[in-house]
Every structure is written in structure tokens, then in C-alpha cells.
Amino acid sequence: MALILRRTLAVFSILLTLSLTAAPAATPVVAQENLRYAAIVIDAESGEVMFARHADARRYPASITKVMTLYLVFEALEQGKIKLDDVIRVSPHAAGQPPSKLGLAAGQTITVEDAILATAIRSANDMAVALAEHVAGSHTRFAAMMTLKAEELGMTQTRYANANGLPDSRQLTSARDLALLCRALLRDFPQHYRFFGVNSWFYGGREYRNTNGLLNSGQGYDGIKTGFTNASGYNLAASAVRDGRRIITVVLGGRSTASRNEHVAELMTTGFEVASRRRGGERIEVAQTFFEQRGFGIGPEPAEGGVLYASLPGDSTAGSRAEPEDSDVRLVSAPAPRSDRTAELNRQPTPPPAAQRRPPARPAAPEGRWSVQVGAFRDETVARDWLDEVNRRFRSQFSGAERRVMSASGWWRSRFTGMTEEAARAACEALSARNVTCQVVRPD
């Protein structure tokens, strides 16, 4: 009996093993990098880039396109080519645009001023096209004018194919380009900028509310434009004024209206904190570092919690879904905190207490091959700008050094190389005395 029981258990064990082996292994869920995310924060008056993350990467602008559309409309107004009380007859092409839209039928009329309000507040795709046709005679010609104006404004990553931002794989921009456009809008047409800050508008017996939910936050927001398609994610170009200082923030690729607005608000608040500290006499030379010390732009975006960003769909074409109706350099460093911020910024482990250190004996390092690292960034442009800024401020310390931006594990390291150990240590001491983080790097 015992023998039979043992054989039965053995057979059961074999069958169980085979069933587990045959079953497909569960595929682990791996968080995808948020390929659509990009952001930039600039001082509207000086143009200083206070924070940048993937700012030059090409993205889909979605309905932020309409900022350029209205820029050209305002230009035509100032040149006397059109007037606010002009009456536009809606064409079949304009009437046929998908939502969001005002919904006028072909042949119906609307004034230029109401079409502007519909475009700025409701993000009406049909009215953006109606305005384009009124200014240029055809939608295609107007799109070409948009691209030419982008080139004129220095928007090097931007190309337009339509006036409303509906999906088109040819229509591309970057966060930096959109910030340039917003700044140009404020500079060139301050008398018309008011359209972007109108919270609600009555037309045809109906109230339309602005897609920019930050306008009601009481934090000084007065524009500018939201945007959404499946391919772009949730976009927002925002502008706010506090204590007489205006800051522009652009965030692209948000996963939802709420998370995008929250992230914009956090970036904006940090920008105003930099401005406030400077007014108080604090020397902040590179704002990017200040932002990174607040946790922005240092590592990968979180998959859960905090700010959630959109992930790129599997295909490479622009998505078909448009914005929902109800939806929506001179850079600087904060004072180093008491912890070892240099190690954290450069992704090195904080050194252990002296009693725990038992480094192996190392041969003497050759002279003239020491380096000073002054930062590590996810954005190559930021790394180069910061290296140039440090060189400008500490020219005497690095007179004989070579400037190099080195890539390693997704980080861009800003370094002065070709120095003696004595010169490297002296330079780092001079930087530390001015609250600029640095690290002496021994030759390999």
C-alpha cells in the first residue's frame, strides 16, 4: 500500500511539473518611457530659459497651433488687411472640420472678432480655418504663411500643415519653439493678447467656457492655449503674472487634463520662486539647477503617482482624436543644500563615513588629465549652456581647460578637462565658495 501511495505521489508531482512548464510565463509589466513629454519654462521679459526638458525634441502641437493662427490674424488686423467687424462667410471646407467646433453651416456668417473668440476660447477648428481663409484666401496658402512666420520667429523645429492643429504627421513643433511663439505674441500684439484670457463667451444663446482650466485658479494665469490629439497627448502653453513678473510655461504630452495642469502649476510656481529669491538678493545663476533640486527633470517621469505623462502609441502616425470640447541662455543654481548634492546631481552614491571607507591603493594619477564636473543633465543643450555659463563666470579658473559635454547612461555631464590635480581642486573650491556645485574627477 505504501509503495502504491509513493508511486501515485510521484506521478502527481511529474504531472504538476509538466503543467507549470507548459504554462506561458507571465509577462512583466514594464513602464514605457514617456516619449511625448517635453517642457520649458521661460522668463517672458528677458527670455531666460529657467527650465528645459526635451525642449528641442519634435512634438505634435495639437490645438496650440491656433496660437500661430491668431498671431497671423492679429498681424493682418494691425496691417489693416482685415477688421474685427469684418463678416466671414463660412466655406464648406471650414464647416466640414471635425470637432471641437462652433458648428456653423456652410454659408452662415460670423464676424472676425467672434471667430477669434471661438478659436481662442472654444478651440473651434472650423473657425480657425474660416479665419485662415479670410486672411489668405485659402487654407493651404495660410498654412504656408504659418511655416514662413515660424522660420522668421526662429522656430527651427516647426512646420505647419493646417491652421487648427488637427492630426497631420507633417505638423511638428517643439516646446522651445512654442515658448518663442508665445513670447512673440505677447511682445508683438499685447493689445490683442486679451482674447486668450477670456474665461467664458456667449454666442448664439450658449455659453462657451475656456478650455484652459488654470484661468480660474487665482494664480495670475491669463492664457494661453490648450491642445490635445491622441498623438500629442494633453498640451498646454500657459502664461501667468505674479508680483509684476511674467513667466511662460509649455508642457507637452500630458496623460490627462488634470495631471498636465498640475505639472504646469508646479513648474510655474518654481519659476516664480526663483524670481522671488533673486529679488531678495539670493544669487541664483542657473535656474535649471534650482528646478532639478526641486525634483524636476532629474530622472525618468513616474509611471504612477505625481505627474503622469502620455506614452507614445505603437504607430508613428498622428492620432485621429482631437481636443475634447470640455478639456481642456541664461540658466541658474540654487544654493547647495547641506546634503551631498553634487553626488546626487551626478548620480554618484553619497560617500560613506570615513571609518567605513577602505579604498584600494591607486597609482598616482598623471598630471594634466584631471577634470572638474559642474553638472549632469538629461538635456544636452542644457549641459552645454551651463558649461558655457560657468566658463564665463569663472574664466580665470578654467583658462587652460578644455570644455567637454560627455554622454553616459542617458546623462550629459558638463566637464572642464585637461587640468592638473592642483588646478582642478582650486577651481572646484572657487566654485563651491560661490554655491556652484562641482566635483573633482580623477583620471581613469
Side-chain angles (χ1 to χ4, degrees):
M1 184 67 181
L3 179 60
I4 294 174
L5 180 60
R6 284 197 299 271
R7 286 179 177 176
T8 302
L9 290 172
V11 171
F12 178 77
S13 177
I14 292 170
L15 290 173
L16 179 61
T17 301
L18 289 173
S19 67
L20 290 174
T21 304
T27 304
V29 178
V30 179
Q32 293 182 333
E33 184 181 359
N34 299 304
L35 299 178
R36 290 187 291 187
Y37 173 70
I40 192 168
V41 180
I42 68 169
D43 183 295
E45 182 178 355
S46 67
E48 174 195 359
V49 177
M50 306 179 81
F51 171 77
R53 174 83 160 152
H54 306 310
D56 295 303
R58 284 192 159 186
R59 300 287 187 262
Y60 295 118
S63 282
I64 299 181
T65 294
K66 297 180 176 84
V67 177
M68 177 60 85
T69 300
L70 293 180
Y71 183 99
L72 291 179
V73 170
F74 298 156
E75 186 174 68
L77 285 169
E78 292 306 301
Q79 292 173 350
K81 295 179 180 178
I82 64 173
K83 296 182 295 182
L84 286 175
D85 58 0
D86 280 355
V87 175
I88 301 173
R89 188 170 298 278
V90 178
S91 72
H93 175 60
Q97 298 298 305
S100 58
K101 60 194 295 184
L102 194 60
L104 297 188
Q108 287 189 284
T109 59
I110 188 171
T111 65
V112 166
E113 183 170 14
D114 279 335
I116 290 173
L117 287 164
T119 302
I121 297 170
R122 182 169 172 73
S123 197
N125 294 320
D126 51 353
M127 293 301 100
V129 172
L131 285 166
E133 293 174 337
H134 185 66
V135 170
S138 75
H139 190 190
T140 301
R141 185 165 184 265
F142 189 86
M145 291 169 57
M146 294 170 73
T147 299
L148 289 173
K149 181 57 67 174
E151 293 175 358
E152 181 182 322
L153 294 176
M155 299 168 64
T156 59
Q157 304 298 318
T158 299
R159 179 182 177 183
Y160 292 105
N162 61 55
N164 49 28
L166 283 170
D168 191 308
S169 60
R170 301 168 298 170
Q171 185 136 317
L172 298 166
T173 190
S174 69
R176 190 184 305 274
D177 280 4
L178 292 177
L180 285 172
L181 173 60
C182 292
R183 188 174 180 229
L185 175 73
L186 286 157
R187 178 194 66 220
D188 298 340
F189 305 110
Q191 69 277 30
H192 298 304
Y193 176 73
R194 61 181 174 84
F195 286 108
F196 293 98
V198 177
N199 188 53
S200 63
W201 167 64
F202 287 88
Y203 183 81
R206 179 179 172 184
E207 181 184 16
Y208 298 99
R209 300 192 66 79
N210 201 305
T211 58
N212 183 358
L214 292 177
L215 293 178
N216 282 329
S217 67
Q219 298 298 311
Y221 292 93
D222 57 8
I224 300 176
K225 191 72 193 72
T226 61
F228 172 82
T229 65
N230 284 336
S232 71
Y234 289 83
N235 299 343
L236 176 58
S239 179
V241 178
R242 299 177 196 171
D243 297 323
R245 174 76 63 179
R246 180 181 291 279
I247 289 177
I248 296 168
T249 297
V250 177
V251 167
L252 306 177
R255 179 170 289 175
S256 69
T257 301
S259 64
R260 174 202 66 191
N261 288 356
E262 179 184 359
H263 188 43
V264 168
E266 290 172 343
L267 290 174
M268 196 75 83
T269 296
T270 304
F272 283 117
E273 183 181 353
V274 170
S276 176
R277 285 171 176 258
R278 285 171 169 172
R279 283 196 306 272
E282 188 171 331
R283 293 183 63 85
I284 299 179
E285 298 296 337
V286 176
Q288 178 81 24
T289 304
F290 189 96
F291 274 79
E292 290 182 351
Q293 289 174 344
R294 293 292 186 272
F296 298 107
I298 283 282
E301 292 78 34
E304 294 183 2
V307 181
L308 300 178
Y309 305 116
S311 58
L312 195 65
D315 59 33
S316 60
T317 60
S320 60
R321 184 180 169 201
E323 184 175 11
E325 294 181 6
D326 298 328
S327 77
D328 38 295
V329 278
R330 189 178 166 183
L331 301 164
V332 265
S333 127
R338 294 179 184 274
S339 63
D340 191 344
R341 186 60 180 165
T342 299
E344 183 181 349
L345 279 174
N346 293 288
R347 278 295 185 269
Q348 304 286 348
T350 301
Q356 300 178 17
R357 299 181 200 159
R358 288 181 175 83
R362 301 180 65 177
E367 288 296 312
R369 292 175 55 189
W370 289 73
S371 302
V372 174
Q373 181 163 305
V374 294
F377 307 89
R378 288 292 192 183
D379 190 303
E380 181 183 5
T381 301
V382 173
R384 294 191 183 281
D385 287 345
W386 178 225
L387 194 60
D388 291 342
E389 176 66 16
V390 173
N391 183 67
R392 182 187 67 79
R393 294 181 54 216
F394 298 92
R395 196 176 302 277
S396 60
Q397 280 78 15
F398 298 109
S399 58
E402 178 185 355
R403 280 174 281 172
R404 295 185 61 190
V405 172
M406 307 170 68
S407 176
S409 303
W411 290 85
W412 297 93
R413 307 185 187 281
S414 306
R415 290 184 178 181
F416 293 91
T417 63
M419 305 176 70
T420 65
E421 179 181 4
E422 181 181 3
R425 295 193 182 280
C428 199
E429 287 178 7
L431 268 63
S432 298
R434 299 285 297 275
N435 290 326
V436 177
T437 56
C438 61
Q439 181 180 27
V440 175
V441 181
R442 182 187 177 95
D444 295 332

